[in-house]
Amino acid sequence: MRVCLLASGSKGNSLFIETGGTKLLIDAGLSAVEILRRLNAIGVDGGEIDAVLISHEHTDHIRGAGVLARKFKVPVLLSYPTYKEAERCFKKTEVVEFESGYAFCYKDISIDPFPITHDACDPVGFVIKSNEGTVGIATDLGIATRLVKDKLQGCKVLILESNHDETMLLNGPYPWHLKQRIKSRHGHLSNNDSAALLEEILHSGLEGVFLAHLSEVNNDPQLAYTAADTLLESQNVCSPRLIVGDQYLASAVLTL
């Protein structure tokens, strides 16, 4: 299994997962050209991608999805409400619809899309199971509900949102209404929220944690890393590799 955050932040998000028989993009929020460049940087040809899986319809998650799917003649996997909201982006594209809350199989993997709280029409996180292990993905969510915590139990790799530092957000330049949106149940998890979620789902088989969707304005990579690392250093259950995503560069590749 290989996992890499190709891009992570408010300007565009994309995650690459490779299992024994499947290479999957989860979200494609950069231009197709840039996503292909970053795939190439980690030794993956765009023509090897088997599908593009979409979490929700915001532009920073779908910008390049339709172009990539048409170029390489691969399907876009997304929920019906998300498809209807972003239909203009997926003309002449093979679309495979799923329903939030119901797991389905694609090639050699099982994909379990579960509902999360965000200001999109049908936002989901994912649990992706393969023979090599399970990857749990929870970004773009305002709170970590009991369902989110239950779904992320037992994953070998976690991709968790660590969007903002609460003090930086409060004292930062955003207008108050935008600060309120980010802090709301339908906004984004802070560094402390992310660490609290991680604490509840630690287990002995956890081998990798990616911190994702960091705000350029309201966060600092070192603050996000420190919040998670402090939690990990305080326990003796597991010792996963901790990787912070970047807006402008592909992350380190976690190979298991």
Side-chain angles (χ1 to χ4, degrees), residues 7-253:
S8 185
S10 302
K11 294 178 180 176
N13 298 273
S14 189
L15 171 70
F16 171 76
I17 296 177
E18 178 180 356
T19 66
T22 305
K23 293 179 180 176
L24 188 67
L25 273 186
I26 300 176
D27 293 330
L30 301 176
S31 70
V33 170
E34 183 61 19
I35 288 175
L36 292 175
R37 188 185 71 80
R38 297 194 193 189
L39 284 171
N40 184 258
I42 63 169
V44 178
D45 183 89
E48 301 173 45
I49 296 298
D50 294 294
V52 184
L53 179 64
I54 301 296
S55 64
H56 64 290
E57 77 278 7
H58 289 167
T59 304
D60 60 323
H61 291 261
I62 68 169
R63 181 178 289 113
V67 175
L68 286 169
R70 287 187 290 271
K71 178 177 178 63
F72 296 112
K73 296 180 173 57
V74 297
V76 174
L77 317 178
L78 73 176
S79 74
Y80 176 75
T82 299
Y83 172 63
K84 293 306 293 182
E85 190 70 20
E87 189 172 2
R88 70 196 181 283
C89 297
F90 300 116
K91 295 184 183 300
K92 299 181 181 178
T93 300
E94 180 186 354
V95 171
V96 175
E97 295 172 4
F98 60 73
E99 185 174 353
S100 177
Y102 293 88
F104 64 99
C105 292
Y106 185 78
K107 297 195 69 178
D108 68 333
I109 59 175
S110 167
I111 301 172
D112 185 1
F114 57 89
I116 57 176
T117 59
H118 192 53
D119 57 356
C121 68
D122 188 33
V124 294
F126 296 106
V127 174
I128 297 177
K129 296 181 180 179
S130 72
N131 291 333
E132 290 79 24
T134 302
V135 180
I137 303 148
T139 68
D140 294 76
L141 66 165
I143 57 170
T145 62
R146 174 49 55 191
L147 175 64
V148 169
K149 296 169 187 176
D150 287 347
K151 289 292 185 179
L152 297 180
Q153 296 287 338
C155 292
K156 181 180 282 191
V157 181
L158 292 168
I159 293 88
L160 301 180
E161 178 166 59
S162 194
N163 176 257
H164 61 277
D165 172 78
E166 291 157 342
T167 301
M168 286 183 68
L169 176 65
L170 182 63
N171 296 328
Y174 281 9
W176 183 247
H177 71 87
L178 185 52
K179 293 179 182 181
Q180 289 293 93
R181 171 196 171 254
I182 292 168
K183 286 165 56 68
S184 76
R185 292 171 58 89
H186 298 278
H188 296 278
L189 295 185
S190 70
N191 297 337
N192 289 333
D193 293 333
S194 184
L197 170 57
L198 180 58
E199 183 175 23
E200 293 203 46
I201 55 179
L202 291 175
H203 67 100
S204 60
L206 180 61
E207 297 188 29
V209 176
F210 289 82
L211 302 181
H213 215 300
L214 276 67
S215 169
E216 287 186 85
V217 175
N218 301 306
N219 209 350
D220 180 277
Q222 189 58 51
L223 291 175
Y225 184 92
T226 298
D229 187 56
T230 300
L231 177 276
L232 292 173
E233 289 293 324
S234 71
Q235 54 80 47
N236 57 9
V237 174
C238 56
S239 54
R241 184 176 177 187
L242 182 60
I243 298 171
V244 179
D246 189 276
Q247 185 66 88
Y248 300 102
L249 296 170
S251 75
V253 179

